[in-house]
Amino acid sequence: MAISNMYEGKKHKHENRYQYGQQNLWTGLLFGLGVVAFIDEVVFHQLLHWHHFYDKSTANIGLVSDGLFHAFSFFATIGAAFLLADLHRKHGFWLKRWLGGIFLGAGVFQLYDGIIQHKFMRLHQIRYNVEILPYDIVWNVLAAILIIIGIVLLIQTNHQKS
């Protein structure tokens, strides 16, 4: 009897996941974007001091840009947490699809940072006064791996709908 109730509870917990598939994806995307931005800010900006978000001006402007970037990552993550709570309230949470969104959001943000902000806009580089090519390769290849994992998970959840 207890096992039957657990099964029914679990079934009820995710019964609307197909209906909220897009919300699972977007919540994951926002969460992945926020978490990777947070890791970038804390590790590379604050702990290692390798760069600021905006390095084309004074150090004070760089610190202000880091603060704005950090606020962006915080609000993206908290916003995703509210959307995630809404999914649970509606019994529409879908872990695999949400994880796919996280990997895709993290990878897209990192690839955008590595290509657009580092190379085209030249807002900052990963490091200065070193051979930058290995850092760029690791940064962008890691981004591509995250994107591929996210796409694979999302494709798998598209095929599970029947």
Side-chain angles (χ1 to χ4, degrees):
M1 187 71 174
I3 293 174
S4 176
N5 287 342
M6 286 176 36
Y7 175 75
E8 287 300 317
K10 187 174 182 179
K11 181 180 174 187
H12 178 70
K13 189 174 180 182
H14 304 288
E15 68 187 8
N16 296 329
R17 69 183 189 174
Y18 294 111
Q19 181 181 352
Y20 295 104
Q22 289 298 314
Q23 188 174 339
N24 276 280
L25 168 65
W26 285 106
T27 303
L29 281 169
L30 189 61
F31 191 79
L33 187 152
V35 167
V36 163
F38 177 81
I39 291 169
D40 181 19
E41 170 63 28
V42 170
V43 173
F44 299 107
H45 297 214
Q46 296 174 350
L47 295 177
L48 297 174
H49 295 209
W50 282 2
H51 62 263
H52 295 294
F53 181 76
Y54 186 74
D55 277 336
K56 296 175 104 176
S57 185
T58 66
N60 285 338
I61 296 297
L63 286 173
V64 169
S65 71
D66 284 346
L68 293 172
F69 182 56
H70 201 69
F72 164 77
S73 70
F74 178 78
F75 287 119
T77 306
I78 296 301
F82 277 104
L83 293 172
L84 182 62
D86 185 52
L87 279 171
H88 281 287
R89 184 183 60 78
K90 295 174 181 173
H91 304 287
F93 179 64
W94 191 350
L95 178 62
K96 194 172 195 177
R97 191 153 179 89
W98 185 68
L99 288 174
I102 288 174
F103 280 105
L104 186 60
V108 166
F109 176 79
Q110 188 163 329
L111 193 60
Y112 166 79
D113 186 43
I115 302 295
I116 303 298
Q117 292 182 346
H118 293 177
K119 298 305 168 198
F120 289 126
M121 297 171 72
R122 298 190 175 278
L123 296 179
H124 60 264
Q125 295 296 321
I126 297 171
R127 289 192 77 180
Y128 295 97
N129 304 319
V130 296
E131 176 60 44
I132 194 68
L133 184 61
Y135 291 93
D136 286 338
I137 290 172
V138 169
W139 192 264
N140 293 320
V141 166
L142 184 59
I145 290 170
L146 291 169
I147 290 170
I148 290 168
I149 292 170
I151 289 172
V152 167
L153 289 173
L154 292 172
I155 288 171
Q156 289 176 347
T157 57
N158 282 339
H159 293 301
Q160 289 180 358
K161 189 174 185 179
S162 58

